[in-house]
Amino acid sequence: MTPIIHLEGLTKRYRVGPDTIPALVDVSCEVFPGEFVAISGPSGSGKSTLLNLLGLLDRADTGRYLLDGRDVAAAGDDELTLLRNRKLGFVFQNSPMLPRLTAMENVAVPLVYRGESPRAAAAEAERQLARVGLGAVAGHRPGQLSGGQLQRVALARALVGRPKLVLADEPTASLDLATAGEMMALLIDLNRAAGTALVLITHDPEDAARADRQLVLEAGRLRAGPVPAAR
């Protein structure tokens, strides 16, 4: 089986004044279709840098990143935009929404950018909102929704283009305990049902323990984490 993520010796450095600071050092790993991988680590360990590289928002200095078999180092900016739209879905801690658009319109945006007709995009957006339990508020604007509802809208938007990989960055951190549990249950259920690979960046050991595999970043180096309990 071809991995959706293949990293070989990925290194990323940042210049701070006269100094060069290593953010990632010789990172290698693979993630396969349908797999749920949790990545944890202390603040400043390189988690955000790794997420930016995986999400094609930044480029590594050295090393190799194959996304669904495509070497992204050889891709130009336009192709990277296309790959993000067709291969990836994103759920952030506070996923930004366009305030003047309804929940349905926010979810439909990736499909509109892809060139699908407004009618087809709206129909698929409504289907995904119903899938995450928000069919009744499809016409509401972001200011009318709770934090938990906004995260569900973000999840629907991440899934609307049927991505191969969902990248979730602390998606439950700003939610209360009950809503956070519901959000994690949704992510896991959709990961299982759709066969979409899920990479979760988290500080929560309980969320990490629900993954198929745990990885830990420390000072920019990636290592295997605790063996998760059987789901």
Side-chain angles (χ1 to χ4, degrees), residues 82-100:
L82 187 64
L83 286 169
R84 278 194 299 271
N85 182 271
R86 294 186 177 274
K87 302 284 186 182
L88 303 177
F90 297 88
V91 185
F92 299 107
Q93 180 176 338
N94 294 296
S95 296
M97 297 288 158
L98 297 170
R100 295 187 179 182

Side-chain angles (χ1 to χ4, degrees), residues 69-209:
R70 175 69 167 109
D71 188 342
V72 302
D77 290 344
D78 289 344
E79 186 178 357
L80 290 179
T81 299
L82 187 64
L83 286 169
R84 278 194 299 271
N85 182 271
R86 294 186 177 274
K87 302 284 186 182
L88 303 177
F90 297 88
V91 185
F92 299 107
Q93 180 176 338
N94 294 296
S95 296
M97 297 288 158
L98 297 170
R100 295 187 179 182
L101 300 186
T102 65
M104 182 276 291
E105 290 166 339
N106 268 284
V107 173
V109 164
L111 298 182
V112 173
Y113 284 161
R114 191 178 292 186
E116 295 196 19
S117 71
R119 178 175 293 183
E124 182 60 18
E126 288 176 350
R127 190 179 79 83
Q128 293 297 339
L129 284 169
R131 192 179 182 189
V132 300
L134 292 182
V137 297
H140 288 42
R141 288 184 168 78
Q144 300 171 294
L145 301 175
S146 69
Q149 288 174 323
L150 287 170
Q151 283 299 75
R152 287 175 181 246
V153 173
L155 181 54
R157 185 175 60 187
L159 295 170
V160 74
R162 296 184 177 88
K164 296 286 189 73
L165 170 65
V166 170
L167 301 171
D169 184 15
E170 299 282 1
T172 64
S174 61
L175 305 178
D176 63 74
L177 191 60
T179 306
E182 293 172 2
M183 184 67 180
M184 277 305 305
L186 266 176
L187 278 166
I188 292 169
D189 287 346
L190 293 169
N191 161 248
R192 289 173 175 174
T196 300
L198 171 62
V199 173
L200 172 71
I201 304 292
T202 183
H203 282 99
D204 190 325
E206 292 186 9
D207 286 348

